[in-house]
Amino acid sequence: MGKLTGKVAVVTGASSGMGKEIVTLFAKEGASVVAVARRAERLEALAESLKDEEGTVVAYPGDISSKDVNEAMIDFAVEKFGKLDILVNNAGIMDGMEPVGNFSDEKLQSVFAVNVFGPFYATRKAVNTFLAQGSKGSIVHIASEGAYKTCAGVVYCASKSAVVTLSRNTAYMYKEEGIRSNTIIAGGFATEISSSMGMPDMAGYGKLQANLATAPAPGQPDEIAKAVLYLASDDAAYVSGAELAVDGGWCAA
């Protein structure tokens, strides 16, 4: 029996990188997983590859910058599996390393839609679902060292700071109800997130080199998945409002 046997989870950003590894590990540990991302064909391939595991993976194509998608994915999980136990807010995109004088309105809107509004809408829906069920629940947010270090542009760093605050406030407000909310502070990982950046702002990128030079070699996405499993599972039943750095010691620099 796995650590998540009998649990129902929703994981965003599930088609690649950290999200794909989280879905894979959750399925191996017995969870029923709704895997959410825009690329339907990748989700279907992932679900097919995990069909022989203890858990079950169901693809749910959608763009989590949409409030409707964030609400519908959780309704789908409840309709499909009868309940919700775990939400993992993993999906995220980068800015272009712009300092505050250089970011565009479009970049601010697109990054915040995915990195901030998506997790806010999903967390609100998850919390209200837990309350309606009369059950405890676990929410895990994937933030980054950008919440504390100037290791990207102002828009990305601000978006990840917002996620940390969302998680801590949720943990405090719903501790009596047994709803846990925790955050992974991710360092640099070998994922596709840089593909969302495009050509970087060279002025900002140049000034970031001193901070980026202290980063260790990139981690592998499965290392994040193991940390998420801990926080999502009953092993962390007394852990809420925590920020777990998974960054190879970058935070210590």
Side-chain angles (χ1 to χ4, degrees), residues 1 6-7 19 35 56 113 131 161 213 220 230 250-251:
M1 182 178 292
K7 302 289 189 181
T56 300
L131 294 174
S161 294
Q220 296 303 310
Y230 165 67
W250 195 13
C251 64

Side-chain angles (χ1 to χ4, degrees), residues 104-122:
S104 67
D105 293 350
E106 292 76 17
K107 184 60 64 71
L108 178 66
Q109 291 161 7
S110 63
V111 172
F112 267 61
V114 174
N115 292 8
V116 181
F117 298 154
F120 266 75
Y121 291 136

Side-chain angles (χ1 to χ4, degrees), residues 149 209-216 249-250 253:
K149 287 179 176 289
Q209 292 310 299
N211 278 351
L212 295 175
T214 66
W250 195 13

Side-chain angles (χ1 to χ4, degrees), residues 1-174:
M1 182 178 292
K3 290 181 180 292
L4 300 181
T5 299
K7 302 289 189 181
V8 176
V10 173
V11 179
T12 68
S15 63
S16 66
M18 295 186 291
K20 181 179 179 180
E21 293 298 328
I22 293 164
V23 170
T24 298
L25 185 55
F26 276 23
K28 291 178 183 293
E29 292 291 342
S32 298
V33 186
V34 175
V36 184
R38 291 176 297 172
R39 294 177 288 191
E41 69 286 350
R42 288 200 179 191
L43 293 177
E44 294 292 351
L46 178 60
E48 176 66 19
S49 72
L50 297 171
K51 65 181 181 180
D52 295 328
E53 300 297 341
E54 180 187 345
T56 300
V57 176
V58 177
Y60 190 90
D63 184 345
I64 63 91
S65 67
S66 163
K67 181 182 78 169
D68 291 344
V69 168
N70 281 281
E71 295 180 345
M73 68 188 185
I74 291 175
D75 285 335
F76 176 80
V78 174
E79 291 164 7
K80 181 72 176 177
F81 297 114
K83 61 173 182 170
L84 177 73
D85 298 295
I86 299 162
L87 168 66
V88 181
N89 285 317
N90 166 71
I93 60 174
M94 282 289 291
D95 62 8
M97 306 289 185
E98 301 94 341
V100 72
N102 294 1
F103 75 83
S104 67
D105 293 350
E106 292 76 17
K107 184 60 64 71
L108 178 66
Q109 291 161 7
S110 63
V111 172
F112 267 61
V114 174
N115 292 8
V116 181
F117 298 154
F120 266 75
Y121 291 136
T123 299
R124 179 176 67 181
K125 181 67 174 180
V127 163
N128 284 325
T129 300
F130 296 145
L131 294 174
Q133 293 173 169
S135 66
K136 299 177 181 180
S138 177
I139 303 170
V140 182
H141 307 271
I142 308 299
S144 105
E145 286 291 351
Y148 301 104
K149 287 179 176 289
T150 302
C151 60
V154 66
V155 173
Y156 178 81
C157 291
S159 74
K160 291 304 183 179
S161 294
V163 169
V164 171
T165 299
L166 165 65
S167 183
R168 289 177 61 86
N169 186 272
T170 301
Y172 178 78
M173 291 289 192
Y174 295 97

Side-chain angles (χ1 to χ4, degrees), residues 136-138 171 175 178-182 230-242:
K136 299 177 181 180
S138 177
K175 61 183 185 295
I179 297 172
R180 299 188 297 109
S181 180
N182 292 290
Y230 165 67
L231 291 175
S233 75
D234 290 340
D235 285 349
Y238 200 61
V239 180
S240 192

